[in-house]
Amino acid sequence: MRIRNNIDKIRLSFLKDKEPYLNLYRIMGFYPHRLMLYQTALRHRSCQGRQKSNVNNERLEFLGDAVLGAVVADILYKKYRNRQEGFLTTLRSKLVKRDTLNQLAVQIGLDKLVLHSSNLHITRNSSLNGNAFEAFVGAIYLDRGYKHCYQFMTEKIFADYLDIEKIANTEENFKSMLIEWCQKGQLKVTFETADMMMEGNTPKFISEVFIEGVSCGKGSGYTKKESHQNASQSAMNKVKTDVGFVNKLYEAHNAAIQDDKEKEVNAD
């Protein structure tokens, strides 16, 4: 790796515009070869404007999502040799969830390189930076291959920004978060747990969460509590990112109130 970097550094000395390469080197720890891939990874679709060009980071985001999941799974599989699938799956979800990727993009300075329309309204919960991070991983994969994606995640991300052990021991109570969110909006939340299904010889629970009678998420787990947590996480992701869906929940809430009033009138 070090010899390769030295060769790339020598090649860089002959280029007039070195800054884009140096910026990416600071982030990745190695030099890019095909700069255009990274420029595409950092180009949001809002940049298209009225142009017919469809060059944006969505395809690379699709690829990067899969590559990132594989790399993180590889790292966790080697690190936790005696842990079962449920633990590994849950930890991987924590490490690659949207909030984590959004935060990472800011920490490594990727957010400052993302190109988007000045008219784009970016909210606190926007996934723009997290999506760019996934696209960035996709660019590394196409440019330098799986080995460099693995190096980027182990030597830069996990070494400098994410403490795997700390995250592994952090219990995120998505069910409490969801219940609190519903209480603030005076919305009714219920959970339904189906009969256990067998995975090999291990029982597994399947749960579904409803808000005002509307299905909001499903989750499975090796305990009823874990299945509730996973269903709640799915529901929280939905209510935090889908305004139209939240409006649907309040419409169901108002309809239920109206229905109760009509029943009271008819009872009188």
Side-chain angles (χ1 to χ4, degrees):
M1 290 290 186
R2 184 175 297 177
I3 295 174
R4 183 74 232 192
N5 263 345
N6 287 336
I7 294 173
D8 289 337
K9 191 174 183 179
I10 293 170
R11 288 177 176 172
L12 183 63
S13 65
F14 292 98
L15 296 177
K16 289 183 178 179
D17 188 8
K18 303 178 180 62
E19 193 60 30
Y21 291 87
L22 293 174
N23 285 337
L24 293 174
Y25 177 82
R26 293 184 193 105
I27 292 173
M28 300 187 297
F30 49 84
Y31 292 100
H33 286 176
R34 293 192 285 169
L35 185 61
M36 188 174 292
L37 282 170
Y38 300 90
Q39 292 171 334
T40 301
L42 299 172
R43 183 181 177 87
H44 187 259
R45 65 180 178 182
S46 62
C47 288
Q48 292 173 214
R50 296 178 182 178
Q51 299 176 3
K52 294 182 179 180
S53 171
N54 63 350
V55 178
N56 61 63
N57 64 4
E58 290 184 343
R59 281 173 55 82
L60 280 173
E61 178 195 337
F62 165 78
L63 176 63
D65 175 47
V67 174
L68 182 62
V71 169
V72 172
D74 191 357
I75 293 169
L76 297 182
Y77 185 82
K78 292 171 181 173
K79 182 177 178 62
Y80 297 101
R81 297 184 181 276
N82 298 317
R83 301 305 295 265
Q84 297 301 312
E85 181 265 350
F87 170 84
L88 298 174
T89 299
T90 299
L91 181 52
R92 181 180 60 180
S93 296
K94 289 181 181 180
L95 293 169
V96 302
K97 70 179 182 178
R98 190 60 49 197
D99 288 347
T100 302
L101 299 185
N102 282 336
Q103 183 180 352
L104 280 174
V106 173
Q107 288 177 312
I108 66 177
L110 207 63
D111 61 315
K112 296 180 177 64
L113 302 178
V114 177
L115 297 177
H116 58 81
S117 169
S118 58
N119 296 323
L120 182 66
H121 178 61
I122 303 176
T123 65
R124 186 173 64 86
N125 293 323
S126 172
S127 58
L128 181 146
N129 291 325
N131 292 345
F133 185 93
E134 288 181 333
F136 191 73
V137 172
I140 295 174
Y141 176 75
L142 292 179
D143 182 37
R144 304 299 304 268
Y146 180 88
K147 185 181 292 186
H148 279 75
C149 292
Y150 191 95
Q151 178 188 341
F152 170 62
M153 292 303 297
T154 53
E155 297 183 12
K156 297 296 288 187
I157 299 303
F158 290 135
D160 298 336
Y161 301 101
L162 283 183
D163 186 334
I164 298 180
E165 287 291 343
K166 183 178 180 180
I167 293 174
N169 294 320
T170 300
E171 181 74 25
E172 291 188 276
N173 197 330
F174 292 103
K175 184 174 182 179
S176 293
M177 290 165 59
L178 182 65
I179 291 173
E180 183 180 351
W181 185 85
C182 290
Q183 287 175 340
K184 287 181 179 178
Q186 298 183 329
L187 301 173
K188 181 181 179 182
V189 57
T190 56
F191 290 83
E192 291 184 7
T193 303
D195 294 337
M196 291 184 297
M197 61 178 242
M198 301 298 292
E199 190 173 273
N201 293 321
T202 305
K204 206 169 187 181
F205 294 85
I206 305 294
S207 292
E208 187 170 7
V209 58
F210 296 86
I211 299 177
E212 293 296 339
V214 179
S215 176
C216 297
K218 293 182 180 180
S220 61
Y222 295 102
T223 65
K224 186 185 251 187
K225 178 182 177 181
E226 184 182 0
S227 70
H228 279 199
Q229 286 291 340
N230 291 332
S232 298
Q233 182 178 7
S234 176
M236 283 301 300
N237 289 337
K238 209 164 190 177
V239 300
K240 285 173 65 177
T241 59
D242 192 337
V243 176
F245 183 76
V246 172
N247 289 337
K248 181 180 177 182
L249 297 180
Y250 279 100
E251 288 172 4
H253 173 68
N254 293 332
I257 292 175
Q258 185 61 35
D259 186 52
D260 288 340
K261 288 181 178 178
E262 291 177 359
K263 288 180 179 178
E264 288 179 5
V265 171
N266 292 334
D268 292 339

